[in-house]
Amino acid sequence: MSLHLLQSGVMLPLKEKDKPIVQKLLSAGCCARCVLRFCCVSVQADTLNELQAFIKSTDENNKSHDAAVSEPPEDPPSKRAKLEAGPSEEDAAAAVKLKDEESRVCVVCLGILQDLCGPAQALKVSETVKAEKYEFDTLVLSVSLPAQLCVREHSCWLHVKKELREKSIAVDRDDLIQVKEAFKWIMQGLVAKELGGVAVSLFEVSVEFTYPETDSVFTRMAVVKALEKIADAKFLKHYPSPPAQPTSSCIPQDVQCLHMSVFVAGRYNKFCRSLPQTPWVIDGERRMESSVEELIAAPVLSSFRSDGFNFSSSGREDVDVRTLGNGRPFAMELLNPHRSRLSRAEMKQLQETINKSSDKIRVRDLQIVTREAMSRMKEGEEEKTKSYTALIWTLKPIQREDITFIDDIKDLTLDQKTPLRVLHRRALAVRQRVIHSMNTRFLDSHHFYLGLKTQAGTYIKEFVHGDFGRTKPNLCELLRTDTDILELDVESVDVDWPPSIPE
């Protein structure tokens, strides 16, 4: 027989066979919410009143049933007198006992579900979030609990396990609703209501509880694994069941807010031959006053109010190389942004702010992207092609006719040993790269422009001067004279990402 009790607007789907378990847990010092957890009930009652009423209603149903059998139907006065009588001494004593029970700290959750899980705590959490001035549409609540709770819950489980089996109630330890889950069920909606958000999101609000009386060197997960291995009898030798009555409750720590990363992508041009892509620091000393990364990042961080960032791009150019044409794809991971969305107009304004801040760079196609979309920038990177223009110097005087044969070379395969200039940060290896096509433009007897379309990852400078024979074949061998590169420009990076945005 199911007994659905409606008390203070809360319906408890408890059954008659749950009554001994409820009584056992209440006697052990569990709060109402922990009692319901052990009964695998997700409805969360606020006080013990509902459970006490459940027990009382079960008793009265049983008494009424017995009376119906033993008393003749034509003799109702005794019942009427009982209903009309005032509160008995037993009822008064029960009320005092209930008040005392409500004031005690729960032996399992140490007060977390009992006193630290309601509108007042939700208000404190939301006030902290508001003070941080985050902008978000949805949120998720996380909670960190002391390891002590795992031990107490295990102890209480052993306390009721025998009773459950005697009643043939098929409940496993894993079926119990965890304190963490119960806390989030109750609090997530309350916090979301205070903040005007929906409870599931990229914005995380973390609530931590500690229990100073049993600060442990062990992590919560280590305690959980230990409890999974220990035999019941061995556990009971070292720990009381049910758990001892605590003298104090858990203490809530500072609320931590964290917004999941937001990703911004675009393309950049670099017009300066003395600007590194990223901060250039050698032996702890900065060599250049700025970088492409920093010129882009400063306005972006300011707009999204982010705590930090990670910068990545489709390849990188040397400090003395310009990037022209439609630019080089880049992406930024913004860490813990307090603002997560900008309108199209705001993104356009941000792009203009970056472009006005310096004549050394320019960005285009600035947009917010997903983490998954970022992978497209790196997908098949070495199969992509890049186009360059190089200003070449030759030791031996040349005529226009001496270089025209280069225009006819197609798909030239190079063996490139790791260049000497990057050997300190790249593994020694021989990499095969392909120059798909080349074209020349004669300037004078010692200079000409060389256009190249190559496989991504080709070392252009080393192809020109040979790197002491570490790149073969090379331009020196093709022209039968020493050659060197005076200027290099990236004309295009053929990666179809991010999507183009019309000006």
Side-chain angles (χ1 to χ4, degrees):
M1 178 179 66
S2 294
L3 295 175
H4 292 271
L5 174 71
L6 185 61
Q7 180 83 4
S8 303
V10 178
M11 179 171 282
L12 302 181
L14 294 169
K15 298 181 180 179
E16 188 173 354
K17 65 180 181 179
D18 292 322
K19 179 187 171 185
I21 308 302
V22 173
Q23 288 178 319
K24 203 173 184 73
L25 290 169
L26 288 176
S27 298
C30 291
C31 69
R33 284 169 171 163
C34 281
V35 171
L36 292 175
R37 291 193 304 108
F38 274 82
C39 293
C40 305
V41 175
S42 60
V43 176
Q44 294 299 325
D46 289 331
T47 70
L48 292 170
N49 288 318
E50 289 86 354
L51 292 175
Q52 295 286 12
F54 162 66
I55 295 170
K56 187 176 180 181
S57 68
T58 310
D59 289 338
E60 289 179 352
N61 283 341
N62 290 337
K63 289 177 181 177
S64 297
H65 181 265
D66 293 340
V69 173
S70 60
E71 294 180 2
E74 65 272 11
D75 187 22
S78 61
K79 283 187 181 181
R80 189 178 303 114
K82 186 175 181 180
L83 288 171
E84 292 172 353
S88 67
E89 291 183 6
E90 289 182 5
D91 291 337
V96 172
K97 184 181 178 183
L98 176 62
K99 188 173 182 180
D100 180 58
E101 288 175 347
E102 287 182 327
S103 64
R104 290 189 303 178
V105 177
C106 175
V107 297
V108 181
C109 73
L110 296 174
I112 290 176
L113 298 180
Q114 187 179 19
D115 301 315
L116 301 171
C117 184
Q121 183 69 12
L123 183 60
K124 290 181 181 179
V125 172
S126 62
E127 284 175 348
T128 301
V129 177
K130 289 175 183 176
E132 295 283 344
K133 296 182 179 178
Y134 280 91
E135 293 182 16
F136 59 93
D137 294 320
T138 58
L139 66 91
V140 64
L141 188 70
S142 68
V143 59
S144 175
L145 303 174
Q148 169 71 199
L149 265 66
C150 302
V151 181
R152 286 179 168 272
E153 184 153 302
H154 188 74
S155 169
C156 212
W157 163 251
L158 296 180
H159 181 58
V160 299
K161 186 166 72 169
K162 183 180 178 182
E163 186 81 39
L164 288 169
R165 289 178 178 171
E166 286 177 356
K167 298 292 182 182
S168 300
I169 301 175
V171 176
D172 189 68
R173 174 75 174 79
D174 294 334
D175 294 329
L176 304 188
I177 297 165
Q178 300 300 305
V179 175
K180 181 177 289 190
E181 296 308 312
F183 181 88
K184 288 195 285 188
W185 281 345
I186 301 165
M187 288 289 288
Q188 192 149 289
L190 293 174
V191 173
K193 184 179 179 181
E194 289 287 345
L195 295 171
V198 179
V200 171
S201 157
L202 298 175
F203 179 57
E204 180 179 359
V205 180
S206 301
V207 181
E208 181 183 3
F209 294 94
T210 57
Y211 192 59
E213 291 187 20
T214 55
D215 276 342
S216 173
V217 295
F218 301 105
T219 64
R220 186 174 181 276
M221 187 52 65
V223 173
V224 169
K225 289 182 178 179
L227 291 173
E228 288 173 352
K229 296 177 182 178
I230 192 170
D232 292 353
K234 189 174 182 181
F235 177 87
L236 293 172
K237 280 184 181 180
H238 299 280
Y239 201 87
S241 178
Q245 179 65 43
T247 57
S248 62
S249 60
C250 286
I251 299 173
Q253 302 300 303
D254 291 340
V255 176
Q256 302 293 325
C257 300
L258 178 67
H259 199 293
M260 300 298 283
S261 296
V262 169
F263 299 88
V264 173
R267 287 177 174 264
Y268 73 80
N269 293 114
K270 179 166 89 76
F271 306 118
C272 177
R273 296 194 187 278
S274 58
L275 183 70
Q277 187 196 62
T278 55
W280 195 4
V281 180
I282 300 177
D283 296 329
E285 184 178 339
R286 181 154 189 156
R287 296 301 176 93
M288 298 283 177
E289 65 177 16
S290 190
S291 65
V292 173
E293 173 187 294
E294 291 167 296
L295 291 173
I296 296 174
V300 174
L301 289 179
S302 177
S303 293
F304 285 88
R305 305 204 307 275
S306 175
D307 288 351
F309 70 96
N310 292 316
F311 186 91
S312 59
S313 63
S314 180
R316 59 187 298 152
E317 66 284 316
D318 291 338
V319 63
D320 59 348
V321 176
R322 297 186 302 179
T323 298
L324 308 176
N326 62 353
R328 184 185 297 276
F330 73 91
M332 290 178 63
E333 178 186 9
L334 303 179
L335 307 175
N336 192 25
H338 287 49
R339 191 179 184 194
S340 60
R341 292 194 306 176
L342 269 69
S343 66
R344 184 175 297 181
E346 288 172 321
M347 288 300 291
K348 185 177 181 180
Q349 180 59 51
L350 175 57
Q351 180 173 292
E352 290 176 2
T353 300
I354 296 170
N355 293 338
K356 289 176 181 178
S357 67
S358 174
D359 59 0
K360 296 179 180 180
I361 65 162
R362 183 178 183 277
V363 298
R364 59 183 295 176
D365 301 331
L366 196 66
Q367 56 197 278
I368 296 174
V369 298
T370 63
R371 182 189 292 272
E372 293 71 28
M374 275 187 62
S375 62
R376 293 187 56 187
M377 186 173 69
K378 298 292 184 181
E379 281 177 4
E381 196 171 61
E382 292 191 356
E383 283 66 50
K384 302 297 183 181
T385 59
K386 297 183 180 181
S387 300
Y388 302 87
T389 297
L391 177 59
I392 308 299
W393 169 86
T394 64
L395 176 63
K396 184 179 74 176
I398 57 171
Q399 300 295 324
R400 190 182 303 272
E401 309 80 63
D402 296 331
I403 60 174
T404 54
F405 76 96
I406 295 175
D407 296 2
D408 298 325
I409 297 175
K410 305 296 180 185
D411 296 325
L412 178 66
T413 300
L414 310 180
D415 289 324
Q416 293 198 300
K417 190 177 288 187
T418 304
L420 292 171
R421 65 187 173 91
V422 299
L423 197 53
H424 66 285
R425 56 184 172 86
R426 291 281 178 89
L428 178 62
V430 176
R431 300 172 179 84
Q432 282 200 338
R433 293 292 184 267
V434 177
I435 296 179
H436 298 292
S437 62
M438 292 183 281
N439 61 81
T440 57
R441 180 158 59 90
F442 181 79
L443 289 177
D444 58 41
S445 58
H446 288 280
H447 301 89
F448 70 95
Y449 281 112
L450 176 66
L452 309 96
K453 185 173 185 179
T454 74
Q455 179 184 353
T458 304
Y459 291 108
I460 304 302
K461 292 178 178 179
E462 282 65 30
F463 167 68
V464 173
H465 57 61
D467 197 26
F468 300 100
R470 297 169 71 85
T471 290
K472 288 182 175 292
N474 55 62
L475 194 59
C476 299
E477 294 175 344
L478 295 176
L479 292 176
R480 301 180 186 278
T481 182
D482 287 346
T483 61
D484 205 351
I485 187 166
L486 302 181
E487 292 179 352
L488 180 63
D489 293 331
V490 180
E491 299 290 351
S492 72
V493 179
D494 300 327
V495 176
D496 188 23
W497 189 88
S500 177
I501 297 177
E503 294 290 339

